[in-house]
Amino acid sequence: MSDTPPGRSADSDPTRGGPIASSGTVARNTLWNLGGMVLPAAAAVAAIPLLIARLGDARFGVLTLAWGLSVLFALSDLGLARATTTLLAKSWVAAPEREQAGLLWASLGGHVVLGLLGGLAFAGLTPWMMTRLLEVPADLRVETSRAFYLLALTIPFVLAGNPLRSVLETTQRFGAINAIRVPVSILNYVGPLVLAAWTPRLEVVIGVIVATRIAAFFAFAVLVLRVAPGLLRPARPTRETVRALVRTGGWLGATGFALPAVASLDRVIIGARLSVADVGYYAAPYEVVTKLWFLSGSLLLVLYPVFSALTDDGRLRRSYWRAVRHLFVPTVAAAAVIIAFSTEIFSLWLGPVFGGQAAPVARWLALGVVLSVIGQVPMTLLQCRGRPDLPAIVHLVEVPLYAIAAWWLAGVAGIAGVAVAWMGRATFEALIVFVAAWVVLPAGRPGPEARILLVMSAAGAGLLAVAGWLGTRPEGWLAWKLGGMAVALAIFAAWSWWRLFDAADRRLLSRGALTG
């Protein structure tokens, strides 16, 4: 493929695509991402009870620790992946393809080095985690250690796949991304379940996760070869390219480390402060409730390159506030259902004993996830518009505060206390990034949007308060709870349609478009 000369639109080349997509493309790609997150979530819901039954509480707790800790190491790429997407999106129209190839190879080299260091660190820390950090039963330490060593092998492959996925995200190839991600994510749950029928040993059960993560790297490489083969031709990056990658990735790296750290800290603290069995009691509702992230993830993965490439401030403002409104309604409604029926959901799913432990955790996490999902919109805007330092500072501050709060509350209130700390962290983060985006957003501070945001907060708090009251009603109230939530949700939906959404929103939603 010949280089794209300066000034020529790469979007006109159908083989390469482009970051600025129409509303229809955004909607279609959002639905691809939504399906790519819902299907693994359904697999998790079906597989987790069977995994608990086949592995036992202790082994299941170790398995969830393995999931969380490997993610912590594998996602700590110092912001290079997001920086790659940002720079590719900004340069896609005018920069020569050779320059973009240099950017990709610089990113690949950095990811490989970080992956090797992360894998070695994970393997090196395994003996200490077995004997000092985690309350792993003595009879499980050998197989747990072997499982952790296997997971260490996947970290270089997972990290090296990140810049390849950045190319596919920039070119809006989310259907192809999900064709790989969905099977890998489903096998994360179904693979261990199948092998657990043969043996419960963790090193065997986790082997299928290792194999699928390595296979995903090669699949992403094949897709990039088909979509933009010129980018994989070896090219030496310029000093300016490396500087831009490091500069953009520097603050994004803090966020890239903090987010998986937060996602793993709760389980590590529970395992150290309480027991690995309690990790399982906490992880089951966490895995379900945090699946609400698929709402923001499915949309913002598509909008990230769009926000990065847009130069029309008016269109950027409209897309930003539309994303906030459209994420608010389904997230609050889904969280309300979880809060109202957490006891029934988890008791039916995992049994009354497990459900009794999980229900309070689910309620607190649901409150936090509402704020977390909506707060990801201003966070994405800040990262795309040249202020990644602001969310990064928030994350660097919140991680130690969250660790201290979670450790203390674990001793005071057990796993429910850790969920309270998680909710408090999400509240702090959302408030700060909304204020920061308010200042950074082009064309001055929004007036009507500020009032809408206050009204949204009041309406959401009202629905969640009703759900919380219904959720604490005693047994025998199920019919009343169902009726009460149906009425509350109907009122909330009608208010959202006629008072929160404007005419443009209603037209877009009627056509099935989520933003544009």
Side-chain angles (χ1 to χ4, degrees):
M1 181 181 297
S2 61
D3 288 351
T4 303
R8 179 179 176 184
S9 172
D11 292 324
S12 62
D13 185 349
T15 66
R16 297 190 75 202
I20 301 179
S22 66
S23 60
T25 301
V26 170
R28 182 171 60 253
N29 287 334
T30 300
L31 291 175
W32 272 115
N33 290 334
L34 192 62
M37 296 176 184
V38 169
L39 291 175
V45 169
I48 284 177
L50 298 174
L51 276 170
I52 294 171
R54 292 181 180 181
L55 296 178
D57 291 353
R59 277 193 173 90
F60 177 73
V62 171
L63 180 62
T64 62
L65 274 172
W67 288 335
L69 288 172
S70 62
V71 167
L72 169 62
F73 281 84
L75 295 183
S76 300
D77 67 351
L78 301 184
L80 286 179
R82 276 293 175 100
T84 304
T85 303
T86 300
L87 295 175
L88 279 176
K90 289 181 181 296
S91 67
W92 199 257
V93 171
E97 189 178 72
R98 195 69 177 168
E99 182 179 319
Q100 295 170 355
L103 168 64
L104 179 60
W105 279 95
S107 180
L108 273 170
H111 277 91
V112 168
V113 171
L114 290 173
L116 292 172
L117 292 175
L120 290 172
F122 189 85
L125 289 172
T126 291
W128 173 74
M129 289 190 287
M130 294 303 102
T131 58
R132 299 292 183 86
L133 179 63
L134 303 174
E135 293 292 332
V136 178
D139 59 331
L140 292 182
R141 287 178 184 172
V142 172
E143 60 183 274
T144 300
S145 297
R146 291 173 179 170
F148 279 23
Y149 288 136
L150 284 173
L151 284 170
L153 292 175
T154 69
I155 294 174
F157 291 95
V158 172
L159 280 179
N162 288 345
L164 300 177
R165 196 167 61 248
S166 293
V167 175
L168 299 172
E169 290 175 357
T170 301
T171 55
Q172 296 287 318
R173 308 285 179 153
F174 289 95
I177 292 173
N178 283 286
I180 298 172
R181 188 172 62 187
V182 169
V184 169
S185 299
I186 289 176
L187 284 172
N188 199 50
Y189 301 100
V190 176
L193 178 62
V194 171
L195 290 176
W198 174 45
T199 176
R201 292 189 65 83
L202 289 165
E203 67 266 43
V204 177
V205 167
I206 288 175
V208 68
I209 298 175
V210 173
T212 55
R213 290 181 180 178
I214 293 174
F217 163 76
F218 291 103
F220 282 127
V222 169
L223 282 176
V224 173
L225 278 172
R226 294 181 61 186
V227 171
L231 296 188
L232 283 183
R233 294 173 188 148
R236 179 178 295 179
T238 64
R239 290 183 179 180
E240 290 74 16
T241 296
V242 174
R243 288 195 194 101
L245 192 62
V246 172
R247 183 173 59 250
T248 305
W251 286 111
L252 289 173
T255 296
F257 176 79
L259 291 180
V262 167
S264 303
L265 267 176
D266 46 11
R267 304 184 194 195
V268 173
I269 288 170
I270 292 169
R273 191 89 156 107
L274 303 172
S275 70
V276 292
D278 284 317
V279 175
Y281 293 138
Y282 179 90
Y286 182 93
E287 288 293 324
V288 172
V289 175
T290 55
K291 289 297 183 286
L292 292 180
W293 279 333
F294 65 63
L295 295 170
S296 56
S298 60
L299 175 61
L300 296 179
L301 277 174
V302 182
L303 287 182
Y304 193 91
V306 175
F307 280 179
S308 297
L310 272 176
T311 56
D312 184 336
D313 289 348
R315 184 176 176 186
L316 177 63
R317 283 171 59 84
R318 290 192 297 273
S319 294
Y320 170 79
W321 284 105
R322 186 167 292 135
V324 170
R325 294 194 298 271
H326 290 190
L327 284 176
F328 168 81
V329 174
T331 305
V332 171
V337 172
I338 292 172
I339 291 170
F341 300 104
S342 58
T343 301
E344 291 82 2
I345 291 171
F346 288 97
S347 296
L348 180 63
W349 182 36
L350 301 172
V353 175
F354 212 110
Q357 295 276 356
V361 173
R363 293 190 190 103
W364 288 111
L365 290 177
L367 290 174
V369 166
V370 169
L371 295 162
S372 178
V373 166
I374 300 170
Q376 288 177 42
V377 182
M379 188 181 302
T380 300
L381 178 76
L382 292 169
Q383 291 174 340
C384 293
R385 306 309 293 181
R387 293 309 306 267
D389 55 316
L390 298 177
I393 291 171
V394 173
H395 289 132
L396 291 174
V397 170
E398 75 179 6
V399 168
L401 294 177
Y402 169 62
I404 294 169
W407 182 272
W408 178 68
L409 287 170
V412 173
I415 57 175
V418 177
V420 171
W422 197 96
M423 187 272 295
R425 177 206 60 79
T427 303
F428 169 79
E429 178 183 291
L431 289 173
I432 298 299
V433 295
F434 259 109
V435 171
W438 204 314
V439 176
V440 171
L441 195 65
R445 300 184 179 185
E449 292 94 339
R451 292 189 291 272
I452 291 173
L453 192 60
L454 289 175
V455 174
M456 285 169 56
S457 301
L463 178 61
L464 294 173
V466 170
W469 183 80
L470 290 173
T472 57
R473 294 307 89 195
E475 293 183 13
W477 273 63
L478 181 58
W480 289 101
K481 290 169 70 171
L482 288 169
M485 278 307 300
V487 171
L489 288 171
I491 294 172
F492 180 71
W495 171 83
S496 300
W497 184 258
W498 295 111
R499 303 298 297 174
L500 178 60
F501 296 147
D502 58 21
D505 288 328
R506 291 191 288 272
R507 284 195 302 270
L508 285 170
L509 289 170
S510 297
R511 295 201 308 264
L514 299 179
T515 190

